[in-house]
């Protein structure tokens, strides 16, 4: 379908990014990976995230990952001339331009009110921590939402933080969505706008979508902490005889039947059902009797190696997947290799060569954008200022 | 700015959703919360997620949360007539229509190839587990990516699953983005397309953006598990004298200085710096010496109650936030109350009244859409079939 199509799906769109850490940079990288011209503007020497861990040979792998495919411009915004240059980039004419994405403080010169004087159809997407502009980051939002008390080993007495900054990720993707929605509105009406979102609101809305807020309001009993069990159904981790672990689930009636067929435990499961008066085609019953079910399932898995478990489960369409360390992921999993067309081996200047992903979105009507490394800090300063006619 | 504007930002957009569980329903709910007409089509009696936990009085709070603001149609797609009706909904004329979002198996009658015969400019966004269509869900993807070995108490010997289905969330938001990107392309060129994404690819791309894949390839040492510490900087949880816990971070040099000022520990921190030869303005040094830093900070926090810690830290702009259970969140946190304009108290038929979020995205040039409950299953079947001229 993409034959002969060479333009990436977002070619023609240009975003000026004033950002740090995860959410805004991820939003920008997401659009850059679809072909938008994303220009990240940093202070001379880089922003607060220029050295963020993980590092390799003193350079930030994190910065390299979150700024893939962008152009990098450094400008001293403490000077009036520098501020004029940034404003000039943001307000430059062009139908796909006039879009700014930021998670840095905006006030005065870089506020929507000021910048939209220069370009009335400006689109500005501003990410804050709290809705009122208060400081909050992924880790404080997560602490507030209750997930750390639900996550981790049953009986553990402390909260368990996530390592994946999930709220940053979701906020970044929503910020990218916000840009497309606002650009649609501008095409239809000619009108620009300020769009605001906060990490905290994204987290709160998600807690609502998952039913956690309704549950906390309506249910007198607080939700418990259930270790690695997936709440309300059958799903947990099991050990294999070769020291590996595997996640096994039966979310649907069909998956439950498959599990019995694959293991030959259907009879034992049926016997258990009649003994306890349960119907394991109902997820609630699988959940209530999960210990008894896992007492049958666990030993079957524990007698086998990971490869055998996967072979048998794969043949019967049992829903399962191995636990892997990140090292095992890149060493063993074909999904994390160039066998997956999303990935290329790429040289990252100053870091080395490693497996690098393009966009996970595959548009049938457009050419994919090959993965690109992050720019060196300031690499495109002269080029961009010249292009925009903003040399001093 | 929104004065007088009554049309929601996505009015005119219509999406037919064939879905279950989280990713596609969340993508649909995200667009519905911005005013799109999202019609979820289910089999008679509901899809596999109709009874998904958490439940209240036997009804799914999860389904209610993930289908907010949609219309619900039930059709028996095992019958030829039912399939024709669904195809008719999808392929109906109209400039904002002809968009389908699904995470169910597509083949034969509901494939892009078939449906685009009926409407050549069809946009179809298909979410799969693995890229090749193989079955994978949030929990197996997370197990594969390595996060469960990085999450949880230091020294814990098993993987720790997340409770938040973060990959589902990110995939749902990216699917919403994909619809907007494809609809932009259709406006510019008249051309529809198939867009595909998988939970696994979303997770892999995110692991790349965060530097984890580069680190695993380049660094001979695997990343360790560091409990509640935020890797490579200063950030962890502390207990207060009233039995609460608080997340405290110093991600930037400014935040580090604030922490010393707020606690009066600047002198002790400086003394520690000279004793160990460190510069705590550098995040790497804060990380390497975190135990010694926390040995100073921990007792200061442990002598105070949560309210006092928050008051003092708030005055000095120290980055911190309390841990809350979900019950504490809805009882104590003004962000999770109608003091936050994102929320309304809403009646959910069959469930009760509870705090319900609208979109976390605030568009300055459009009216916000007040939060709406999920429909009853099949509530709009007759209405929608009549509207589309598809009564049998």
């Amino acid at each position: 379908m993409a034959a002969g199509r060479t333009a990436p799906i977002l070619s023609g769109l240009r975003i000026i990014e004033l950002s740090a850490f995860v959410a805004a940079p991820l939003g920008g990288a997401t659009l850059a990976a679809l072909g938008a011209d994303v220009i990240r503007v940093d202070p001379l020497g880089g922003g607060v995230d220029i050295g963020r861990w993980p590092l390799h040979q003193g350079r930030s792998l994190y910065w390299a990952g979150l700024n893939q495919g962008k152009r990098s411009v450094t400008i001293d915004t403490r000077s009036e001339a520098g501020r004029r240059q940034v404003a000039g980039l943001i307000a430059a004419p062009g139908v796909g331009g006039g879009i700014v994405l930021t998670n840095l403080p905006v006030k005065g010169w870089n506020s929507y009110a000021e910048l939209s004087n220069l370009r009335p159809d400006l689109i500005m997407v501003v990410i804050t921590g709290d809705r009122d502009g208060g400081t909050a980051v992924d880790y404080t939002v997560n602490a507030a939402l209750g997930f750390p008390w639900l996550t981790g080993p049953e009986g553990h007495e402390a909260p368990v933080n996530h390592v994946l900054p999930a709220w940053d990720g979701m906020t970044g993707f929503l910020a990218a969505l916000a840009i497309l929605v606002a650009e649609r509105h501008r095409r239809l009406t000619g009108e620009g706008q300020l769009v605001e979102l906060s990490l905290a609101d994204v987290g709160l809305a998600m807690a609502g979508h998952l039913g956690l807020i309704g549950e906390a309001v309506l249910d007198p009993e607080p939700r418990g902490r259930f270790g690695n069990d997936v709440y309300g159904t059958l799903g947990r981790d099991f050990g294999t005889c070769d020291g590996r672990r595997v996640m096994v689930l039966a979310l649907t009636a069909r998956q439950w039947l498959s599990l019995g067929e694959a293991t030959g435990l259907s009879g034992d499961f049926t016997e258990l059902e009649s003994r306890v008066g349960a119907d394991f085609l109902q997820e609630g019953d699988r959940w209530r009797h999960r210990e008894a079910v896992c007492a049958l399932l666990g030993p079957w898995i524990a007698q086998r190696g990971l490869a055998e478990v996967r072979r048998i489960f794969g043949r019967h369409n049992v829903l399962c997947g191995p636990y892997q360390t990140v090292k095992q992921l890149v060493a063993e999993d074909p999904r994390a290799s160039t066998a997956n067309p999303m990935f290329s081996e790429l040289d990252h200047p100053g870091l080395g060569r490693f497996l690098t992903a393009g966009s996970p979105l595959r548009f049938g009507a457009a050419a994919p954008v090959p993965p690109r490394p992050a720019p060196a800090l300031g690499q495109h300063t002269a080029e961009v200022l010249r292009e925009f006619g903003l040399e001093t």
Side-chain angles (χ1 to χ4, degrees), chain A:
Chain A
M1 198 169 3
R5 303 225 172 79
T6 51
I9 194 88
L10 286 186
S11 55
L13 206 63
R14 188 179 67 231
I15 292 116
I16 307 298
E17 183 190 304
L18 310 173
S19 68
F21 297 118
V22 183
L26 178 67
T30 299
L31 300 176
L34 298 175
D37 179 18
V38 179
I39 302 173
R40 174 165 167 166
V41 180
D42 277 298
L44 308 178
V48 288
D49 58 343
I50 188 68
R52 184 81 184 86
W53 286 38
L55 306 177
H56 180 66
Q57 296 174 345
R59 296 175 70 115
S60 173
L61 285 160
Y62 172 99
W63 204 92
L66 285 160
N67 295 294
Q68 273 182 241
K70 300 177 189 174
R71 296 200 279 175
S72 171
V73 167
T74 51
I75 294 176
D76 179 8
T77 54
R78 288 167 309 181
S79 78
E80 190 51 41
R83 292 177 173 194
R84 266 199 308 274
Q85 284 177 321
V86 178
L89 291 176
I90 291 172
V95 66
I99 305 176
V100 57
L101 168 61
T102 186
N103 62 345
L104 299 182
V106 288
K107 49 181 173 190
W109 73 275
N110 68 354
S111 66
Y112 176 73
E114 284 296 317
L115 293 171
S116 63
N117 280 332
L118 304 177
R119 181 165 171 161
D121 70 348
L122 181 72
I123 292 168
M124 185 167 189
V125 175
V126 178
I127 300 171
T128 57
D130 279 336
R131 186 186 183 98
D132 64 1
T135 310
V137 297
D138 183 280
Y139 303 96
T140 61
V141 167
N142 196 51
L145 292 174
F147 288 98
W149 289 117
L150 302 177
T151 304
E154 220 161 332
H156 186 65
E157 297 202 342
V160 170
N161 285 1
H162 60 193
V163 167
L164 171 70
W167 306 117
D168 274 334
M170 295 189 209
T171 302
F173 294 141
L174 278 175
L177 171 66
I179 288 174
L180 268 290
V181 169
E183 204 250 355
R184 176 177 184 272
H185 183 81
R186 189 168 70 179
R187 271 177 200 277
L188 295 175
T189 67
E191 184 180 44
Q193 63 191 303
L194 172 65
V195 191
E196 297 168 284
L197 71 162
S198 72
L199 282 177
D201 275 359
V202 170
L204 288 160
M206 188 71 181
H209 283 306
L210 294 171
L212 286 160
I213 290 183
E215 184 185 35
V217 172
L218 298 175
D219 197 330
E221 284 300 307
R223 167 95 66 107
R225 171 186 253 165
F226 299 108
N228 282 349
D229 282 289
V230 179
Y231 183 64
T233 186
L234 186 78
R236 69 159 61 159
D237 63 314
F238 297 89
T240 60
C241 73
D242 50 356
R244 295 291 298 266
R245 296 195 81 80
V246 62
M247 181 75 199
V248 181
L249 304 99
L251 300 176
T252 64
R254 180 63 254 168
Q255 289 163 355
W256 169 252
L257 295 172
S258 299
L259 193 56
E261 289 156 14
T263 55
L265 290 169
S266 302
D268 301 81
F269 291 157
T270 307
E271 199 199 311
L272 175 62
E273 276 178 314
S274 29
R275 197 163 71 244
V276 300
D279 173 7
F280 291 154
L281 294 180
Q282 306 301 319
E283 60 183 346
D285 278 2
R286 295 196 293 279
W287 167 252
R288 288 182 200 95
H289 300 282
R290 65 193 181 280
E291 293 306 336
V293 169
C294 292
L296 295 166
L297 188 55
W300 187 92
I301 296 172
Q303 284 158 22
R304 289 167 173 82
L306 177 64
E308 189 186 350
V309 170
R310 292 184 74 181
R311 199 168 51 244
I312 297 171
F313 281 1
R315 210 159 51 215
H316 290 85
N317 292 316
V318 170
L319 181 51
C320 73
Y323 284 82
Q324 302 174 141
T325 64
V326 192
K327 287 242 177 227
Q328 285 167 334
L329 170 70
V330 296
E332 298 176 9
D333 195 327
R335 295 174 296 184
S337 77
T338 52
N340 180 343
M342 183 175 71
F343 280 109
S344 302
E345 292 278 346
L346 213 65
D347 280 313
H348 294 257
L351 283 166
R353 193 173 175 78
F354 57 87
L355 195 67
T356 308
S359 177
L361 298 173
R362 286 168 278 152
F363 288 89
V369 183
R372 291 169 293 172
L377 182 71
Q379 182 182 335
H380 304 94
T381 306
E383 165 191 311
V384 166
L385 292 180
R386 198 165 51 241
E387 192 180 312
F388 285 72
L390 295 166
E391 301 101 323
T392 43

